[in-house]
Amino acid sequence: MRTGLTKQEKTTDIWFDEKDPLIHIRTHNTDLKNRLKAYSRRYPAICKLTDEDAETGCMEFDIAKGRFSFRLTAPYSEERRNAASKAAKKHSGNLTHPIQKDVL
């Protein structure tokens, strides 16, 4: 969807406080919108689409606390990154499509 907004203007805002049992999410992110729409259809008592702006492509949702999370992941150590790279190269023969050597 072309909205005329720049990437910098396409934001995701997440609001919550300790008192309110809901988290309010306002986003332009297509993947997040699709995931929240599907979740709200499946669990309407927990997650609701509260507003939609077709002109800008923005959607707003309210979701119960405890149903939305942030995942913090530690960065890979150089040792772990090298081990993962070696394992991927070792098992690349299991792929259904050959890897182009010039891409590596």
Side-chain angles (χ1 to χ4, degrees):
M1 163 186 278
R2 296 199 51 94
T3 62
L5 298 175
T6 65
K7 274 196 164 205
Q8 195 169 19
E9 294 170 315
K10 293 180 180 181
T11 61
T12 296
D13 299 314
I14 302 168
W15 296 287
F16 61 93
D17 58 37
E18 297 301 319
K19 182 180 176 187
D20 194 350
L22 296 175
I23 296 173
H24 180 76
I25 302 167
R26 180 180 186 274
T27 187
H28 292 91
N29 182 287
T30 303
D31 181 55
L32 182 57
K33 288 188 299 187
N34 290 338
R35 292 171 56 204
L36 286 166
K37 276 193 294 189
Y39 193 85
S40 68
R41 286 187 197 114
R42 185 163 180 171
Y43 305 104
I46 297 171
C47 182
K48 292 183 179 151
L49 173 64
T50 57
D51 195 16
E52 184 173 7
D53 185 346
E55 189 175 312
T56 65
C58 183
M59 291 183 158
E60 296 184 28
F61 295 86
D62 283 338
I63 186 168
K65 276 186 183 171
R67 300 293 99 210
F68 187 82
S69 68
F70 298 93
R71 186 179 71 191
L72 300 175
T73 56
Y76 278 9
S77 66
E78 193 61 36
E79 180 182 343
R80 185 173 177 193
R81 188 182 347 269
N82 288 335
S85 176
K86 287 178 186 175
K89 288 174 185 173
K90 179 180 176 183
H91 297 290
S92 66
N94 297 337
L95 299 174
T96 57
H97 301 288
I99 295 177
Q100 294 177 344
K101 295 296 180 186
D102 60 328
V103 175
L104 297 174

